[in-house]
Amino acid sequence: MPRRFPSEGSPQNNGPSAGKILIIDDELAIRESLETLLTLEGYDVTVAGTAREGMMQLGERSFDVVLLDLALPDKSGMDLLPEIRAMHPEQAVIMITAYGTVENAVSAMQSGATNFIQKPWDNEKLLADVRTAVARQKAEEENIQLKRALKQRYNFENIIGKSEPMLKIFDLVAQVAPSRSTVLLQGESGTGKELIAKAIHLNSPRRDKPFVPVNSGSTPPDLLESTLFGHVKGAFTSAVASKKGLFEVADRGTLFLDEIGTMGMDTQAKILRVLQDKKFMHLGGVQEIQADVRIIAATNVDLRQMVREGKFREDLFYRLNVITLDLPPLRQRREDIPLLVDHFLGKYSEENDLPRRQMSTEALRPLVTYSWPGNVRELENTIERAVVLSSDSSIGMDLLPDHIVGRGTSVPRLEAAAGTTLFGIMEDCERRIIVDMLEKCGWNQTEAAERFHVPLSTLNQKIKRLAIEIKKKNNHRE
């Protein structure tokens, strides 16, 4: 019968459990050895000597990790693994066997095992593997529960976060979505402004109508007005036929204007007219067209400052700034990073037809402490790269970029002066990191942006915001 280890004074009795472990092994000595080792580490351990007993335990309660013997008296571990997966698709399973071969390891991993350990095992390695598997399982469960809760509350898709700043954003989205009001999303590049805009649209009465995004920054200024408002045949040289604009495409839906701060003043005036009168005209046309469109605008620059500098219309700013949502940068929501990492590991493992990858505890640490100037987009690119380059299920430090893990960097230690704010310290740290990378790239901003895994425009904006003086490029590279 399954037995619980009754260790008085052990860590599991003095505090919260480090995790719930099920051991399925037919050898009593092995079960007791593993039970003692894991219990002393604070785990809540349950044991079973047969496949049948193990499945009974899995049916009665949940476990973070199952340690499964390959050779069981009533069924092999390889045959039991698919049954476990059918009952709990995301269950972490570590195979343990005295018959460890490359073929067995490959078969186990292909069948969905999280890891493979051979008897006799090294205690430290086994504990490290268990810790990694428990951490991944907890993150996966937390992610599933969070997404289920959010979907029940707001029907959000692809938005991941449990931190206080993100929960506030979710609540604001839920409040503003049903209204007709214009929304302005502010935040650094890569913080997920388009995802939030989609969430607002999908939770609004316009959800069944089009959501139309347009990136003002990537559309040439001479084509932006035609893209937004359409044109009649002959309006300009290449207008060989009339064409609808995105305001018509988005009729009764939502138009998402990203990087609105890059719009020229003439285009801003026409956007203002649509907001005021809900009418516009095709380029070259004379007939007014009604526009029942909700506008959600986004910017990664300070529009107030642009207004002061005469680069953005004040009247348009106040029309857009009815409801403002400030999206936090990733460095201000670090507790979301493990959830995001796990999400992207699953996404890119599936996209590349690879067995589910997992991040080692050692590799996760620098991901949580790194400043992420490119925010969630940079993190996603980093995880995609690691998944594509990985050769087995565990991703280690060697697959992370040098600037993230600190290889070859020498950013000076920060000394906080009296009265310095946390925001000021973080800006100083970000400035030093960028300057350090620019120096390593001979002040080649394109190369630095590539090594940071962010668009060049993002890096240039940060250089401007942080008042970094660009030095003349060196012709000599060490």
Side-chain angles (χ1 to χ4, degrees):
M1 291 295 293
R3 181 172 58 85
R4 300 294 301 280
F5 190 81
S7 174
E8 290 187 12
S10 67
Q12 79 175 57
N13 293 329
N14 292 335
S17 167
K20 293 176 289 184
I21 313 294
L22 172 62
I23 302 167
I24 307 177
D25 196 300
D26 64 325
E27 295 184 53
L28 177 61
I30 295 295
R31 292 200 303 272
E32 291 183 343
S33 176
L34 287 171
E35 191 176 17
T36 301
L37 175 66
L38 293 168
T39 301
L40 292 174
E41 288 294 314
Y43 292 101
D44 180 1
V45 182
T46 300
V47 298
T50 65
R52 181 173 176 274
E53 290 174 0
M55 290 302 291
M56 287 176 59
Q57 288 296 320
L58 285 165
E60 293 175 1
R61 58 184 299 212
S62 62
F63 295 91
D64 295 304
V65 178
V66 175
L67 299 181
L68 176 62
D69 188 22
L70 189 63
L72 295 169
D74 52 341
K75 184 175 294 187
S76 77
M78 291 298 293
D79 291 335
L80 185 60
L81 184 57
E83 295 183 23
I84 295 175
R85 285 282 179 221
M87 181 180 287
H88 302 296
E90 302 300 326
Q91 178 68 60
V93 179
I94 297 177
M95 302 293 289
I96 299 183
T97 179
Y99 312 103
T101 66
V102 173
E103 291 78 12
N104 285 339
V106 171
S107 296
M109 301 303 281
Q110 288 177 341
S111 298
T114 306
N115 212 332
F116 191 93
I117 297 174
Q118 183 176 358
K119 303 173 187 176
W121 57 81
D122 176 85
N123 282 351
E124 290 304 316
K125 184 180 184 306
L126 185 143
L127 288 173
D129 289 340
V130 169
R131 279 193 294 271
T132 298
V134 168
R136 177 205 161 203
Q137 188 74 3
K138 286 183 179 296
E140 183 72 25
E141 290 175 358
E142 205 168 37
N143 193 6
I144 291 171
Q145 291 170 4
L146 180 65
K147 291 179 76 172
R148 184 182 297 121
L150 291 177
K151 190 167 184 178
Q152 289 173 349
R153 289 170 65 191
Y154 310 133
N155 194 31
F156 290 172
E157 295 290 344
N158 299 318
I159 304 177
I160 295 172
K162 65 172 185 177
S163 62
E164 190 62 30
M166 286 306 295
L167 292 179
K168 288 180 179 178
I169 291 294
F170 296 157
D171 288 336
L172 285 170
V173 169
Q175 285 182 282
V176 306
S179 73
R180 299 175 60 88
S181 300
T182 301
V183 179
L184 178 62
L185 305 177
Q186 298 182 143
E188 297 177 8
S189 292
T191 50
K193 294 186 285 293
E194 185 169 345
L195 283 178
I196 296 297
K198 285 180 180 177
I200 293 172
H201 172 75
L202 291 173
N203 290 275
S204 75
R206 299 172 180 262
R207 68 178 65 88
D208 296 326
K209 301 301 179 182
F211 173 84
V212 181
V214 56
N215 190 314
S216 308
S218 63
T219 306
D222 55 340
L223 293 179
L224 183 58
E225 288 192 19
S226 173
T227 301
L228 290 171
F229 304 110
H231 60 258
V232 298
K233 181 179 178 180
F236 45 86
T237 305
S238 59
V240 296
S242 296
K243 181 182 177 181
K244 283 186 177 182
L246 295 183
F247 270 100
E248 288 172 275
V249 174
D251 185 40
R252 293 185 291 168
T254 303
L255 186 65
F256 174 55
L257 299 176
D258 198 8
E259 295 190 32
I260 196 167
T262 63
M263 277 187 181
M265 299 295 276
D266 290 343
T267 307
Q268 291 177 33
K270 293 184 178 182
I271 295 289
L272 177 64
R273 181 168 182 246
V274 178
L275 285 170
Q276 290 176 331
D277 303 332
K278 301 190 182 302
K279 297 177 182 178
F280 68 96
M281 288 191 293
H282 289 152
L283 294 186
V286 294
Q287 183 178 358
E288 287 189 329
I289 301 170
Q290 288 292 128
D292 178 14
V293 175
R294 183 184 193 177
I295 290 181
I296 300 176
T299 180
N300 55 20
V301 297
D302 186 346
L303 290 185
R304 289 183 184 276
Q305 181 61 33
M306 291 187 69
V307 169
R308 287 191 288 269
E309 295 172 355
K311 297 177 180 178
F312 199 85
R313 294 182 62 107
E314 184 175 21
D315 44 8
L316 176 58
F317 171 72
Y318 287 115
R319 280 283 180 178
L320 294 173
N321 196 35
V322 177
I323 299 172
T324 302
L325 275 64
D326 292 303
L327 274 59
L330 190 54
R331 62 181 176 274
Q332 292 179 8
R333 41 179 291 226
R334 295 185 186 278
E335 62 192 282
D336 293 334
I337 292 175
L339 290 176
L340 289 162
V341 168
D342 192 69
H343 169 73
F344 293 136
L345 286 172
K347 174 182 176 181
Y348 289 108
S349 295
E350 182 178 347
E351 283 190 7
N352 291 281
D353 295 322
L354 295 170
R356 181 63 157 75
R357 285 351 191 193
Q358 59 184 351
M359 191 68 60
S360 71
T361 304
E362 181 188 30
L364 185 60
R365 193 171 295 113
L367 295 179
V368 173
T369 58
Y370 178 59
S371 63
W372 297 110
N375 293 295
V376 178
R377 186 182 297 123
E378 182 186 2
L379 173 63
E380 181 173 4
N381 292 343
T382 299
I383 301 304
E384 180 181 8
R385 172 184 180 272
V387 169
V388 171
L389 296 179
S390 63
S391 57
D392 55 46
S393 64
S394 181
I395 293 176
M397 297 268 282
D398 58 313
L399 292 179
L400 300 181
D402 290 351
H403 67 276
I404 291 178
V405 300
R407 288 188 292 261
T409 60
S410 56
V411 179
R413 186 175 174 222
L414 293 171
E415 298 292 343
T420 303
T421 65
L422 176 60
F423 182 77
I425 294 172
M426 294 176 70
E427 274 203 340
D428 195 12
C429 181
E430 188 176 7
R431 182 181 297 107
R432 294 182 187 213
I433 290 170
I434 292 174
V435 169
D436 184 68
M437 179 63 76
L438 286 168
E439 288 176 345
K440 292 182 186 304
C441 297
W443 294 89
N444 184 317
Q445 291 159 257
T446 301
E447 182 180 345
E450 290 175 354
R451 292 176 68 173
F452 274 137
H453 299 281
V454 298
L456 178 59
S457 60
T458 298
L459 180 61
N460 286 335
Q461 289 161 7
K462 288 184 177 294
I463 289 171
K464 183 178 180 180
R465 177 173 60 82
L466 298 169
I468 295 172
E469 183 181 353
I470 300 298
K471 298 180 181 179
K472 186 177 181 180
K473 296 177 184 178
N474 294 325
N475 293 324
H476 173 69
R477 296 290 302 278
E478 296 181 2

